[in-house]
Amino acid sequence: MTSLGFDYPWVLLLLGLCVMPLLGLGPRWWPSPSLIGIPRDRVSEGAEIGLRLLAALSMALLVLALGGLHRRDGIVTRTGKGAHVVLLIDRSVSMDQTFDDREPTAKQESKTAAAVRLIQKFFAGRPHDQFAVVAFSTSPILALPLTEHRAAVAAALGAMKRPALGKTDIGRGLGLALAQFGTDTTQAQNVVLFVSDGAGVIDREVKDKIRADALRTHVHLYYLYLRTKGDPGLFEKMDTADASAPASLNQYFSELGVPYRAFEAEDPSAVARAVEQIDRLEVHPIRYHEHVPRRDYAPLLYALALGCGVLVALALLAERGLAEGRP
Amino acid sequence: MTRAMSRVMACPALRDPGSWLQVAACLFLGAALLFPTLPHRRATYSLLAVVDITGSMNVRDYTLDGRPASRLEEAKAALLRMMSDLPCGSRLGLALFTERRDFLLLEPVEICENFSALEDAIRHIDWRMGWEGESHISEGLARGVTLAHSVGSDLLFFSDGQEEPPLPWTGQPASLKRDPRVRGLILGMGGTQPVPIPKFDDNGREIGFWADSDMPTENYAAPPPPGAAQREGYNPRNAPFGASRHTGMENLSSVQTAYLEQLAAGVGLDYRELDSPGQLAGWVERVAHVVRLAARANIAWIFGMLALICMTARMAWAIGSTRK
């Protein structure tokens, strides 16, 4: 998984220098006319070889440090708790009004602000999830495909707080959201969190496509309906069939054949409760990747080389003598 | 004092180059451990790319990897190439332009850490994300400058300059303001030859090209041009533009150099025409604000090298002295 590497492998050619301390072990020039008179001293001979090896070792360590020996960075796959979550966020103009259908003030935040703030909290509490961000108004807009990069998800959510535009086309938005999942559902559970303050008619053709995609991706669908004051409720019984009412959309979703939950929120605290509930429900095993950072061994190698070098230096000083009068 | 000095100078180890070379090597190694890095400041950039995704950007008058490519594909390729060319620590945000608005997809994020996420987001930019077909470029540009400032970035505005509906004969209506805090580039997309604009049906299938009769060729929001009175069927109240349809070339598209240059001058950006994706990073480095990031430069290797030289010199001297 992780392995060693060199930044400058060509520097390793300098390892050839390490043989230098080992050279000249044979016959050598000596100030006395004959060595025969000097008794053989095995301790000194051993010390000589030891010191030369130490010198060679310190040079080798130094060359390894200069070559940039390091443990490569890598990715390890781990299993945690989480899901693949597509955040499908309504960006039509009405979302920029408050729950009381007024202009937002310092005290009362807009539906967008409340929803995004609570989704950001949801995101912060789920470190192993992958997220995608899909905005929809008149047209569906893919802000960010599914990713593990948390900074990018945070940036996409931040961008969702900007002024909204246009009208609402739920069908195409859902279609784009479902298109974010691969067909391989063994990796993680697919979840769509759909946040909107309205409903609308979905084209028959699009309805069939959504149903097929939902079944194919085994998605868990959550509809967080931000109910504005005066708007029809999600669970209201309808006297007359109104295809564009939230209740009809609720009906359609519940007949999709995939796990589905609807939440109606009339104020930010209700949104918070809904998001917490979703957070508790979506706990599945997920394979995620963790980045193992690169580690440089240079400091360690310098320290070891220094250790060897100091021993050699002490030996040299001792041999040559620090004071006059010694041989 | 002098006696002490002379005693030290007389010390035999100091007269032996081998000893002091080894001591010097140890000192250099100590320095490599104690002072491995020097602080310095690195140049990075923070950019917001606003990409025009209106119909005329689907015109295929570029070539990428030997295949015909649309202006939008070329713009995306240029952004991807720029991400690999700019230094790490630089940031890039994304926004789309159609109608009069710039829709922010991503606030600027660091390009190296988030490379694959940004790459994926850029590859998925599509004309189908457009929320309306009109293209009032001067308004999109003015808002782009404000948006770039609000996210603390410089602006890259990719457009072919084709207004839809066409500009009134009176010229540019919106007054453009310079913002000295925002620098950047308008990138003129497209060739100079006018070519037909591809047409798509409701399901996104390409169904040929737009015809002249499909397009508004005059801006009816403005007063009629001088000389309209001479047109056939002119009536000051009922037909101020004349009775017959003015024929134009709005179904054909080429890069509107003069107009885009004028817009660039209006908001104080630089104008460049994009011919190949590799050009972008160099232009950015010349034009955009430099954001200095604190970084640390590795200098341990210099000390390490000096230590190695000392050790090698000691060994060379030792070998040389044994062969006298």
Side-chain angles (χ1 to χ4, degrees), chain A residues 21 29 58-59 66 91 139 141-142 145 149 152 155-156 158-159 162-165 299 302 306 309-310 316 320-322 324, chain B residues 10-13 16 22 26 33 101 103-107 109 113-114 116 120 129-130 150-151 300-301 311 314-315 322:
Chain A
W29 182 86
S58 75
M59 287 175 91
L66 288 171
R91 297 300 316 280
S139 58
I141 298 173
L142 177 57
H149 293 273
R162 303 272 159 175
L165 44 88
Y302 283 129
L306 179 61
V310 165
L316 280 176
R320 303 284 187 270
L322 280 172
E324 195 109 39
Chain B
C11 153
D16 170 36
Q22 184 65 28
C26 290
L33 278 172
R101 296 274 306 273
F103 184 84
L104 189 62
L105 297 179
L106 282 179
E107 290 173 344
V109 285
E113 279 290 301
N114 301 293
S116 62
D120 217 5
M129 295 180 181
S150 75
V151 293
W301 66 273
M311 287 183 180
R314 180 179 86 81
M315 295 326 302
T322 57

Side-chain angles (χ1 to χ4, degrees), chain B residues 238-255:
Chain B
N238 298 329
F241 287 84
S244 63
R245 202 175 163 281
H246 191 68
T247 53
M249 299 246 289
E250 293 300 323
N251 61 322
L252 302 181
S253 173
S254 59
V255 60

Side-chain angles (χ1 to χ4, degrees), chain A:
Chain A
M1 195 60 249
T2 52
S3 57
L4 299 180
F6 288 94
D7 290 325
Y8 315 102
W10 51 268
V11 173
L12 300 186
L13 292 175
L14 294 177
L15 280 175
L17 292 175
C18 300
V19 300
M20 288 181 78
L22 308 177
L23 292 178
L25 267 175
R28 54 189 272 190
W29 182 86
W30 202 252
S32 46
S34 167
L35 292 182
I36 296 170
I38 301 172
R40 200 158 180 201
D41 180 355
R42 291 194 184 276
V43 177
S44 296
E45 280 169 14
E48 168 85 4
I49 294 171
L51 281 178
R52 281 163 183 265
L53 284 174
L54 266 183
L57 180 61
S58 75
M59 287 175 91
L61 290 167
L62 190 45
V63 171
L64 291 181
L66 288 171
L69 178 67
H70 61 267
R71 186 188 67 197
R72 289 209 182 90
D73 64 341
I75 305 275
V76 286
T77 309
R78 297 188 199 282
T79 307
K81 299 269 180 217
H84 286 178
V85 183
V86 174
L87 302 167
L88 176 61
I89 301 172
D90 187 345
R91 297 300 316 280
S92 61
V93 176
S94 59
M95 283 289 285
D96 280 358
Q97 302 282 26
T98 66
F99 282 92
D100 295 336
D101 204 12
R102 296 215 182 91
E103 290 290 321
T105 58
K107 266 190 188 162
Q108 272 199 312
E109 55 186 347
S110 68
K111 284 173 274 185
T112 303
V116 173
R117 177 172 59 81
L118 291 160
I119 288 174
Q120 279 171 327
K121 203 175 145 201
F122 175 74
F123 160 71
R126 300 181 64 95
H128 304 319
D129 284 13
Q130 285 195 24
F131 283 93
V133 180
V134 178
F136 71 101
S137 63
T138 314
S139 58
I141 298 173
L142 177 57
L144 187 70
L146 271 178
T147 180
E148 297 184 308
H149 293 273
R150 308 220 13 119
V153 179
L157 285 174
M160 291 303 119
K161 288 181 171 170
R162 303 272 159 175
L165 44 88
K167 303 184 184 68
T168 323
D169 185 342
I170 288 172
R172 282 176 197 254
L174 265 173
L176 186 61
L178 291 172
Q180 299 315 307
F181 302 120
T183 43
D184 182 12
T185 50
T186 55
Q187 291 287 320
Q189 177 60 49
N190 294 332
V191 175
V192 168
L193 173 53
F194 168 46
V195 184
S196 172
D197 67 341
V201 189
I202 303 180
D203 202 271
R204 253 264 292 288
E205 238 175 85
V206 179
K207 262 186 180 172
D208 293 343
K209 176 97 174 52
I210 289 172
R211 178 172 290 122
D213 282 352
L215 290 172
R216 184 176 55 82
T217 55
H218 303 286
V219 71
H220 288 184
L221 177 63
Y222 294 95
Y223 177 22
L224 179 50
Y225 173 57
L226 309 179
R227 186 180 180 183
T228 316
K229 208 172 167 183
D231 277 4
L234 194 55
F235 308 108
E236 262 171 32
K237 269 188 83 80
M238 287 177 293
D239 300 332
T240 52
D242 177 3
S244 67
S248 333
L249 195 63
N250 185 29
Q251 180 76 17
Y252 165 67
F253 284 154
S254 58
E255 288 163 4
L256 273 181
V258 292
Y260 162 69
R261 288 285 292 269
F263 300 91
E264 184 176 285
E266 285 163 327
D267 53 66
S269 62
V271 178
R273 282 197 297 279
V275 170
E276 276 162 23
Q277 210 171 334
I278 296 168
D279 186 26
R280 275 199 303 278
L281 285 170
E282 289 306 325
V283 192
H284 310 276
I286 185 175
R287 295 166 71 87
Y288 66 96
H289 301 107
E290 206 167 80
H291 184 234
V292 181
R294 168 195 160 114
R295 179 164 172 214
D296 276 312
Y297 289 123
L300 179 68
L301 293 167
Y302 283 129
L304 290 174
L306 179 61
C308 299
V310 165
L311 285 179
V312 173
L314 289 177
L316 280 176
L317 294 177
E319 188 193 345
R320 303 284 187 270
L322 280 172
E324 195 109 39
R326 285 182 57 194

